[in-house]
Amino acid sequence: MILSYSSVIATFIQCLLILLLVQLLLNFENKKTAITPQFIYIMGLLFFVRLFLPVEFGISLTIASTKIMPAVFNTLHFQLFTINHFAVTVGELLITIGVLGAGYKFMQFIKKNIILHRYIRSKKEEKQRLKMPNTKNFTFSYVQTAQVNSPAIYGIKNPIIFLPNNIEFSDKEFNYIAFHELTHYQKGDTLLTFLLELLTCFYWWNPLLIVFKKQMDKIIELRVDNELLKVFTPDQCIEYMECLLKVKKEQHKKPKSLLAMPHFFNKNIFELRANKILNFSPIKTTNKFICLVTILLSFGSLFFIIEPKSVDSQTQATTFEIEEKKTRKKTF
């Protein structure tokens, strides 16, 4: 595996393709189109893995570029200035800015988590034991706070649920909230959110990551709803939907959250979630044609890399190129 300018550019192009495919899948809201949230989630993970490994694989197929890539590489290797006989190019300057920005973002990330842990220790935690719909018993902690305007969960090992202190929940509503948040935990969404925030520290300059995070917010909520639909009765689906409506109505302000966490309520996809929940039936399989095309496009794109087509300087200095001139034959 090789890390280079070409591999980073190829990663950017491949991630853009995956984002477009994921967005296309999210736009298929018609109930007749069978696409499971789990399948879209896997496509999203492919974006995450590709950013984590922005390298050229040994089996990659090279696509030669004669115009765009040579111009890009010439720009990256353009010498800006010299410091103590050390020439600084555009590419090296961009790398330095990226590393310094990543270090600053990483320190902010650590500081934010330290503040969050201190805040949790300062609050009075309530312990609760709950029987999940899948018949498993689960013990968790929860706190009421003004730092969130929607129920949220945090924790990789010992999960803690945050409840907004301006909303009163009945025992039944509390159970639905716990079912939702603990399903996030069981599906690894809290770990993914943590890793995604960590990855953002190093890719703070990448606009694709901002779009990806918004997509994943939608996907993980749809996936959790779909999992609960597998065990909920129609009456429970209605009660669960009523709980969502209650949170929506009570959201008067949006305080700054302590940390990005999987939330119980996402107003950006409320209508879509409502349609899926009130359909009373989970999506269990993905359309085979859509599945095949998406996999071929997304996985296939990982094995291509675009390189500038050029001749090395030594060969260029000792050889010359003869262009074949085409002549038109005259016939008499």
Side-chain angles (χ1 to χ4, degrees):
M1 295 188 292
I2 303 172
L3 179 63
S4 63
Y5 289 138
S6 294
S7 66
V8 173
I9 294 172
T11 298
F12 189 90
I13 296 172
Q14 291 154 3
C15 286
L16 177 60
L17 175 60
I18 295 171
L19 276 185
L20 293 174
L21 288 172
V22 170
Q23 188 59 49
L24 185 62
L25 294 176
L26 285 172
N27 289 339
F28 286 149
E29 299 176 10
N30 194 322
K31 297 177 184 178
K32 296 180 181 179
T33 304
I35 302 176
T36 62
Q38 180 67 26
F39 177 73
I40 308 178
Y41 184 85
I42 293 173
M43 291 298 102
L45 288 183
L46 184 62
F47 178 99
F48 180 87
V49 172
R50 190 63 182 114
L51 273 187
F52 187 74
L53 295 172
V55 296
E56 176 185 351
F57 300 101
I59 57 175
S60 298
L61 299 177
T62 301
I63 300 175
S65 173
T66 58
K67 294 182 179 181
I68 298 177
M69 289 298 287
V72 171
F73 270 63
N74 288 335
T75 302
L76 291 173
H77 290 102
F78 179 78
Q79 183 176 329
L80 293 172
F81 50 85
T82 303
I83 301 177
N84 295 331
H85 305 290
F86 179 76
V88 178
T89 63
V90 172
E92 291 167 342
L93 179 61
L94 292 176
I95 292 173
T96 302
I97 294 173
V99 171
L100 291 175
Y104 174 74
K105 290 288 184 180
F106 183 66
M107 294 302 295
Q108 280 189 321
F109 175 77
I110 295 175
K111 180 181 177 181
K112 202 171 185 179
N113 276 275
I114 292 174
I115 293 174
L116 178 60
H117 282 281
R118 287 177 179 174
Y119 180 81
I120 292 174
R121 286 198 299 267
S122 68
K123 301 293 288 185
K124 182 180 179 181
E125 295 182 26
E126 301 287 344
K127 291 286 186 179
Q128 182 79 18
R129 186 171 179 82
L130 184 68
K131 185 176 182 180
M132 296 289 288
N134 57 9
T135 69
K136 292 183 179 180
N137 293 323
F138 208 100
T139 301
F140 63 96
S141 302
Y142 69 93
V143 296
Q144 291 186 313
T145 174
Q147 294 294 327
V148 295
N149 66 343
S150 170
I153 189 169
Y154 171 78
I156 298 175
K157 185 177 180 181
N158 299 310
I160 180 169
I161 295 177
F162 291 84
L163 297 175
N165 60 4
N166 64 329
I167 306 177
E168 292 292 334
F169 295 106
S170 66
D171 291 342
K172 184 176 289 188
E173 289 169 342
F174 178 85
N175 287 343
Y176 283 122
I177 290 170
F179 291 156
H180 179 98
E181 299 302 342
L182 293 176
T183 302
H184 273 306
Y185 176 78
Q186 291 177 331
K187 291 296 179 180
D189 292 338
T190 53
L191 175 60
L192 176 67
T193 304
F194 179 84
L195 293 177
L196 191 54
E197 288 298 308
L198 187 59
L199 191 66
T200 305
C201 295
F202 300 96
Y203 284 96
W204 59 270
W205 49 268
N206 193 337
L208 297 182
L209 196 58
I210 299 174
V211 180
F212 173 68
K213 288 171 71 174
K214 291 181 179 179
Q215 285 183 340
M216 288 306 293
D217 284 344
K218 296 179 181 179
I219 294 168
I220 63 177
E221 294 302 329
L222 291 172
R223 186 173 73 136
V224 167
D225 287 344
N226 198 63
E227 289 297 317
L228 292 176
L229 285 175
K230 293 178 181 179
V231 292
F232 279 178
T233 65
D235 288 339
Q236 288 176 318
C237 289
I238 294 174
E239 292 171 347
Y240 177 59
M241 190 65 234
E242 289 174 344
C243 192
L244 279 176
L245 278 169
K246 181 174 182 177
V247 174
K248 181 177 184 296
K249 291 178 181 178
E250 295 294 331
Q251 284 185 316
H252 302 299
K253 60 180 180 178
K254 187 177 182 181
K256 186 178 180 180
S257 179
L258 291 170
L259 187 68
M261 298 174 283
H263 281 259
F264 176 76
F265 178 74
N266 188 329
K267 63 181 180 180
N268 296 326
I269 57 165
F270 178 75
E271 185 177 350
L272 176 58
R273 290 179 66 187
N275 290 333
K276 299 294 183 183
I277 294 169
L278 296 180
N279 191 38
F280 305 133
S281 178
I283 302 174
K284 297 181 179 180
T285 58
T286 299
N287 181 282
K288 293 181 180 179
F289 175 76
I290 294 176
C291 182
L292 179 63
V293 171
T294 306
I295 290 175
L296 287 177
L297 288 174
S298 54
F299 281 89
S301 68
L302 302 181
F303 302 102
F304 290 90
I305 189 166
I306 305 175
E307 294 276 8
K309 184 179 180 180
S310 60
V311 181
D312 63 88
S313 58
Q314 183 177 358
T315 303
Q316 199 169 25
T318 56
T319 60
F320 62 91
E321 183 178 359
I322 300 177
E323 293 186 2
E324 183 180 354
K325 186 176 182 180
K326 294 183 179 179
T327 59
R328 182 180 297 176
K329 293 182 180 180
K330 297 183 179 180
T331 56
F332 297 91

